[in-house]
Structures are given as C-alpha cells and as structure tokens.
Amino acid sequence: QVQLVESGGGLVQAGDSLRLSCTASGRTFTTYDMGWFRQAPGKERVFVASINWLGGDAVKADSVKGRFTMSRDNAKNTVYLQMNSLNAEDTAVYFCAARRRGTILWDSWGQGTQVIVSS
C-alpha cells in the first residue's frame, strides 16, 4: 500500500473553482492508478474520477464531466483534481485512492479533504 495525503479543500461559493491535491509517499507511485472519490453528508462514498499510471485512460462520473479534470505529476508523486463551476451538490469529503496497475481494488486511501460549496 501507499500513504496518501489530500489537501486543497475549503469553503467556496457556487460557480467557483478549487484544485485538490493528493501526494503519495514512496518511490513506487508509477505502479499505481489513481482515483478520486467523494462522500456527501449522509450518503455513500462514490466514484468521481480516475487516471492510469501514465495519466491517461481518464474516467469521470457523469455528474462531473465537463467540470472536473484529473491529472498527475509523477515527478512530484501527486495527483490533482481541478474542479470548476462548483455547485452545492459537490459538497462532500473528497478522498484520494490508489490501486496497483492491473488490479480493480482501490486499497489505499487518504484521510479526505472537505469541500463545502455555498449557494
């Protein structure tokens, strides 16, 4: 497993943008595909976006297509989630996750970062 630390959350207004970061420990970052998930109050954790170890094969949930972009910088062991046109439904705790290349189980998780969008 890899240790993940998210940052960049906060309180913003509807229509604003925010960029989340997730930094991984260790020297094996490029052996992991990376993902973002979110959990709204009283709801289950859901998938937001993912990219493979090269930064390609991007997948996004329908609710964020056209607004959110995920990227990674392997030299910095960091992935990003650029969130534009935020709305109240985006309010959630956002979690970074990792899975080894060629697997389907997300088995490393960060502690989460809170995003609150006021309308």
Side-chain angles (χ1 to χ4, degrees):
Q1 292 185 340
V2 62
Q3 281 69 52
L4 305 172
V5 178
E6 303 97 334
S7 61
L11 173 63
V12 297
Q13 294 186 337
D16 285 352
S17 298
L18 203 60
R19 189 178 79 161
L20 305 183
S21 300
C22 171
T23 300
S25 63
R27 302 179 180 180
T28 60
F29 186 60
T30 55
T31 65
Y32 292 90
D33 298 334
M34 300 297 294
W36 285 98
F37 292 74
R38 67 185 181 185
Q39 187 167 15
K43 296 186 178 180
E44 295 184 350
R45 190 175 302 187
V46 297
F47 170 81
V48 174
S50 66
I51 54 174
N52 67 14
W53 67 283
L54 283 173
D57 197 23
V59 180
K60 300 178 193 178
D62 288 344
S63 59
V64 305
K65 286 181 179 177
R67 301 188 299 123
F68 290 12
T69 301
M70 185 175 182
S71 60
R72 68 189 292 163
D73 184 338
N74 286 339
K76 295 182 179 179
N77 279 18
T78 300
V79 294
Y80 305 96
L81 185 67
Q82 177 66 42
M83 306 186 293
N84 299 327
S85 301
L86 286 162
N87 58 59
E89 287 70 39
D90 297 316
T91 294
V93 178
Y94 284 72
F95 297 89
C96 176
R99 66 183 180 193
R100 291 192 179 275
R101 290 159 49 187
T103 68
I104 61 172
L105 178 65
W106 299 97
D107 58 1
S108 296
W109 293 86
Q111 83 289 349
T113 185
Q114 177 78 60
V115 173
I116 299 174
V117 184
S118 63
S119 57

